[in-house]
Amino acid sequence: MLKLREINVTIRKSKKEDMVQVYKLIKALAEFEKLEHTMKITAQDLENDGFNTDNPAFTCLVAEISDGHIMGYAIYYTSYSTWLGRSIFLEDLYVQPAYRRSGIGRELFLAVAKIAHESPSKRMDFHVLSWNPAIDFYKSLGAMDMTITEKWHHFRMDQDCLNKLFSKK
Amino acid sequence: MLKLREINVTIRKSKKEDMVQVYKLIKALAEFEKLEHTMKITAQDLENDGFNTDNPAFTCLVAEISDGHIMGYAIYYTSYSTWLGRSIFLEDLYVQPAYRRSGIGRELFLAVAKIAHESPSKRMDFHVLSWNPAIDFYKSLGAMDMTITEKWHHFRMDQDCLNKLFSKK
């Protein structure tokens, strides 16, 4: 638990009750990424997948101000590297526009990075859109763009691709 | 379970006892990708992470010929999309050079894609090196290169990055 004194923010692990607020922020991030049409999840899904289960699919950290309002979050899950073992994949990091440049994004990122640093693989991966200005921030913290350095491309079979693939057979 | 009659191959879920053979193939894939120096895992780690646990970190499918020799494998894990929910990430797909162009790679890929098709998110993601000739094969099955179409870049904080980040603080 971390206190950012200047604006009185607490970074903490989320509770099930936070998912309604986190859901709204996920939606805001999808809108920022101009990809909101792909979002099908509900707040109830987040509660089920992260809390109402013996095997949570993700962990969520939230940045909360003193009135209980959540203005930023980070969601990560455990991935697996066949070279290094269990690893951390940072799926989302988001801070509401009005609270940016206050250090909250940095503290959320560092909180997840610290968990990665303590994990067996000591590694954290994430995807960023090439036009997202946050790239400079990630690079300033030492992150490597593996698409540039090693030529890794991210491929996907989405629902349409899979439907086509299996309707052909 | 699938039989490829021409060369008498079975595609099946792996058992713990397969991990020694799978480990050798993972090493061969790392060598193909010219990244074997980054591989730190052992066959015992694979047994522990995939089998000796209540919460397996990955699932492995293997392609086996009639003498029990495994000449190909696919490893995937459950990722999480904050837009779609639990999803499939195909971490590795490998077939020994002598057995390529026989349809084994295709059957391994289809077996994982089918699991993705039946998952809540109906989505499968994976990373491919831009110079890997298998890209044409993936595209022929309908896979989208998200690095090209949506400008997603893959970022990483590895052990060195994380060590530097936390030694500074």
Side-chain angles (χ1 to χ4, degrees), chain B residues 119-137:
Chain B
S119 75
S121 71
K122 299 189 184 301
R123 196 174 92 171
M124 176 166 84
D125 290 277
F126 50 106
H127 293 146
V128 191
L129 287 159
S130 66
W131 51 262
N132 186 339
I135 277 192
D136 291 336
F137 161 69

Side-chain angles (χ1 to χ4, degrees), chain B residues 4-10 64-66 71 99 102-104:
Chain B
L4 290 172
R5 275 163 300 177
E6 284 171 29
I7 50 167
N8 204 12
V9 171
T10 304
E64 183 183 53
I65 51 177
S66 48
M71 93 302 287
Y99 292 91
S102 63
I104 297 173

Side-chain angles (χ1 to χ4, degrees), chain B residues 65-168:
Chain B
I65 51 177
S66 48
D67 66 358
H69 184 71
I70 291 170
M71 93 302 287
Y73 76 99
I75 282 183
Y76 65 91
Y77 59 79
T78 304
S79 61
Y80 196 75
S81 160
T82 49
W83 300 338
L84 298 177
R86 284 181 210 265
S87 188
I88 297 293
F89 192 94
L90 176 61
E91 176 70 9
D92 282 355
L93 176 66
Y94 183 74
V95 176
Q96 280 187 328
Y99 292 91
R100 288 187 196 154
R101 302 194 168 276
S102 63
I104 297 173
R106 181 187 167 86
E107 293 305 329
L108 280 168
F109 185 89
L110 289 177
V112 182
K114 197 162 189 308
I115 292 161
H117 195 219
E118 288 160 5
S119 75
S121 71
K122 299 189 184 301
R123 196 174 92 171
M124 176 166 84
D125 290 277
F126 50 106
H127 293 146
V128 191
L129 287 159
S130 66
W131 51 262
N132 186 339
I135 277 192
D136 291 336
F137 161 69
Y138 298 129
K139 285 185 181 166
S140 76
L141 294 172
M144 300 177 298
D145 183 339
M146 306 295 283
T147 299
I148 301 291
T149 58
E150 293 187 0
K151 312 294 180 204
W152 286 105
H153 280 222
H154 176 202
F155 275 71
R156 174 170 294 164
M157 300 286 289
D158 70 5
Q159 182 168 4
D160 284 348
C161 299
L162 292 169
N163 283 344
K164 272 183 209 161
L165 185 62
F166 290 107
S167 68
K168 269 191 225 160

Side-chain angles (χ1 to χ4, degrees), chain B residues 36-48:
Chain B
E36 66 275 20
H37 54 284
T38 66
M39 187 176 168
K40 293 184 183 166
I41 217 162
T42 64
Q44 183 63 55
D45 291 331
L46 293 169
E47 290 180 12
N48 291 342

Side-chain angles (χ1 to χ4, degrees), chain A residues 40 49 80 82-83 92 117 124-126 128 130 144-146 150-151 153-157 163, chain B residues 40 49 80 82-83 92 117 124-126 128-130 144-146 151 153-157 163:
Chain A
K40 293 184 183 165
D49 295 342
Y80 196 75
T82 48
W83 300 339
D92 282 355
H117 194 221
M124 176 166 85
D125 290 277
F126 50 106
V128 191
S130 66
M144 300 176 299
D145 184 338
M146 306 294 284
E150 292 186 1
K151 313 295 180 202
H153 280 222
H154 176 201
F155 275 71
R156 174 170 296 164
M157 301 286 289
N163 283 345
Chain B
K40 293 184 183 166
D49 294 342
Y80 196 75
T82 49
W83 300 338
D92 282 355
H117 195 219
M124 176 166 84
D125 290 277
F126 50 106
V128 191
L129 287 159
S130 66
M144 300 177 298
D145 183 339
M146 306 295 283
K151 312 294 180 204
H153 280 222
H154 176 202
F155 275 71
R156 174 170 294 164
M157 300 286 289
N163 283 344

